[in-house]
């Protein structure tokens, strides 16, 4: 329990800094992909931001792991945190974790449980879609036979892939682009499943409440 309280205190302390670090990382990655012709000075600046924010993610995970009474149990339960540290594509999702933690600490959340899940799903889709667009555009541009030629093509591809529509008009041709596609499809299926599950649960709950209310009225 002491370890859990220490981790919770650390997370409260780092909530805003990590949110800023996530935003800075996304900005640096955007400049790196979309504005590669920056001056050497600006290149060094954004490169420092990239590695500095990555260091912040590593330190945060290492501290939480060190404060945990059982490091193996913590690492197994928080495997997504480790993936966020290791995979650049997922680092903007740290903003989703910060948002979720802030909602859980509110004594009276502004949104219902269903609303919170929908908000988190939408935020995840937007962040992952944008960062995925940047990543696939970076690895596909200039590749022989590439169909993703502009950032607009990359955004369209990300939307189609996350929604699991799969038009096939633009597809990655490099092995790194195809690995990204697999990851995006897997996350897309999970997000759609979460939305459908929450919506179905809300419908069932609404019908149950209306049925119970109708029964009470008939009994009266």
């Amino acid at each position: 329990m002491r370890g859990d309280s220490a981790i919770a205190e650390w997370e409260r302390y780092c909530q805003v800094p990590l949110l800023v670090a996530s935003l800075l990382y996304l900005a640096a990655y955007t400049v790196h992909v979309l504005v590669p012709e920056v001056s050497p000075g600006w290149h060094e600046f954004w490169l420092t931001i990239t590695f500095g924010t990555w260091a912040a993610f590593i330190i945060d995970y290492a501290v939480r792991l060190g404060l945990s009474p059982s490091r193996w149990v913590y690492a197994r339960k928080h495997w997504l945190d480790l993936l966020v540290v290791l995979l650049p594509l997922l680092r903007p999702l740290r903003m989703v974790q910060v948002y979720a933690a802030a909602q859980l600490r509110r004594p009276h959340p502004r949104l219902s449980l269903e609303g919170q899940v929908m908000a988190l799903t939408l935020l995840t889709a937007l962040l992952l879609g944008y960062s995925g667009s940047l990543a696939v555009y970076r690895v596909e541009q200039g590749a022989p036979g590439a169909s993703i030629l502009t950032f607009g093509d990359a955004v369209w591809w990300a939307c189609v892939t996350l929604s699991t529509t799969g038009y096939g008009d633009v597809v990655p041709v490099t092995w790194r682009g195809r690995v990204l596609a697999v990851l995006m499809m897997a996350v897309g299926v999970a997000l759609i499943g979460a939305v459908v599950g929450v919506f179905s649960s809300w419908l069932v709950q609404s019908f149950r409440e209306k049925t119970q209310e109708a029964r009470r009225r008939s009994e009266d």
Side-chain angles (χ1 to χ4, degrees):
M1 295 299 294
R2 184 174 300 177
D4 293 340
S5 61
I7 293 174
E9 184 64 26
W10 170 261
E11 289 177 344
R12 282 193 295 268
Y13 177 78
C14 294
Q15 192 174 92
V16 174
L18 286 176
L19 178 61
V20 173
S22 300
L23 291 171
L24 286 175
Y25 177 83
L26 192 58
Y29 191 50
T30 300
V31 172
H32 178 68
V33 175
L34 299 183
V35 195
E37 304 86 4
V38 294
S39 63
W42 280 109
H43 177 75
E44 291 296 327
F45 171 78
W46 289 113
L47 194 63
T48 302
I49 292 294
T50 300
F51 285 104
T53 53
W54 190 10
F57 297 144
I58 294 174
I59 292 172
D60 169 63
Y61 182 79
V63 170
R64 286 186 287 132
L65 190 64
L67 292 174
S68 175
S70 176
R71 296 177 182 178
W72 170 247
V73 172
Y74 184 86
R76 188 174 57 186
K77 288 184 177 180
H78 297 80
W79 56 270
L80 180 59
D81 293 348
L82 182 59
L83 286 181
V84 167
V85 172
L86 297 178
L87 299 179
L89 176 65
L90 300 180
R91 285 172 202 160
L93 295 185
R94 197 66 179 86
M95 286 183 275
V96 179
Q97 292 178 310
V98 172
Y99 174 80
Q103 291 298 315
L104 289 174
R105 293 192 182 95
R106 288 179 177 272
H108 303 288
R110 297 177 181 177
L111 299 175
S112 63
L113 179 59
E114 292 81 3
Q116 292 181 44
V117 173
M118 295 293 287
L120 289 173
T121 302
L122 177 60
L123 183 58
T124 301
L126 289 174
L127 290 173
L128 189 62
Y130 182 71
S131 58
S133 301
L134 291 172
V136 78
Y137 179 58
R138 180 188 177 189
V139 301
E140 290 292 311
Q141 59 178 336
S147 59
I148 301 176
L149 304 176
T150 66
F151 183 64
D153 293 337
V155 172
W156 171 249
W157 170 84
C159 294
V160 170
T161 304
L162 277 177
S163 63
T164 66
T165 304
Y167 285 116
D169 51 347
V170 287
V171 294
V173 297
T174 64
W175 70 267
R176 289 184 295 176
R178 289 173 178 174
V179 170
L180 286 171
V182 171
L183 293 175
M184 294 278 282
M185 285 186 284
V187 174
V189 170
L191 292 177
I192 292 174
V195 171
V196 172
V198 170
F199 184 69
S200 301
S201 176
W202 176 78
L203 282 179
V204 170
Q205 183 65 24
S206 298
F207 286 135
R208 181 181 292 114
E209 291 177 353
K210 290 181 180 180
T211 302
Q212 292 175 349
E213 183 179 353
R215 288 177 178 176
R216 286 196 298 268
R217 289 180 179 177
S218 62
E219 292 174 357
D220 294 341

